[in-house]
Amino acid sequence: MSSTGVAAASVDVQLRELVGRGFRFVDPRDEHGDVLAVVGVRAHDGVVDIIELHGEDDAIATRMPPDQDILSPRRIYWREQGPASVVLAKMLFLADDYLPGMLYLPTTVSA
């Protein structure tokens, strides 16, 4: 166990397990061909799970209702942010039917 209380596993192993559970990954790129992030999506049981990997120490996992914009959801059920290995482990341990309650995210206003 790590200090976060989540079993440690390599990100590579965790990503393979997520693919085995039905996640599909894409790697959007900028105009120079550089990877901006690795994004995984899985729709199941009336929810959508999203994983965004921006770096080894920067990952976000979100569970949301299926009617939300996956790039900027306004309502979510669950979200975790932190190091990739910790975030991926928490997504792997999250029960498929886990819906703790709805969170409403603030809207961002562009100037």
Side-chain angles (χ1 to χ4, degrees):
M1 287 273 182
S2 71
S3 62
T4 61
V6 176
S10 76
V11 170
D12 184 49
V13 168
Q14 291 170 318
L15 289 171
R16 285 187 182 133
E17 188 169 344
L18 290 166
V19 168
R21 292 186 184 187
F23 274 85
R24 298 296 173 248
F25 286 88
V26 295
D27 57 347
R29 297 171 184 263
D30 66 13
E31 64 275 4
H32 304 290
D34 296 323
V35 175
L36 298 171
V38 174
V39 180
V41 179
R42 177 176 81 133
H44 65 97
D45 301 311
V47 299
V48 177
D49 292 337
I50 306 292
I51 295 175
E52 302 171 53
L53 299 171
H54 299 280
E56 188 176 322
D57 295 321
D58 184 13
I60 303 168
T62 307
R63 175 165 289 172
M64 66 186 73
D67 64 347
Q68 296 298 294
D69 177 346
I70 65 170
L71 299 176
S72 58
R74 297 257 306 120
R75 296 179 295 129
I76 63 171
Y77 294 122
W78 174 87
R79 177 171 276 173
E80 187 68 37
Q81 186 169 0
S85 62
V86 173
V87 171
L88 295 178
K90 288 185 178 184
M91 176 60 82
L92 286 165
F93 289 136
L94 190 65
D96 281 347
D97 59 355
Y98 180 70
L99 300 174
M102 190 75 68
L103 300 173
Y104 292 87
L105 301 177
T107 58
T108 56
V109 178
S110 299

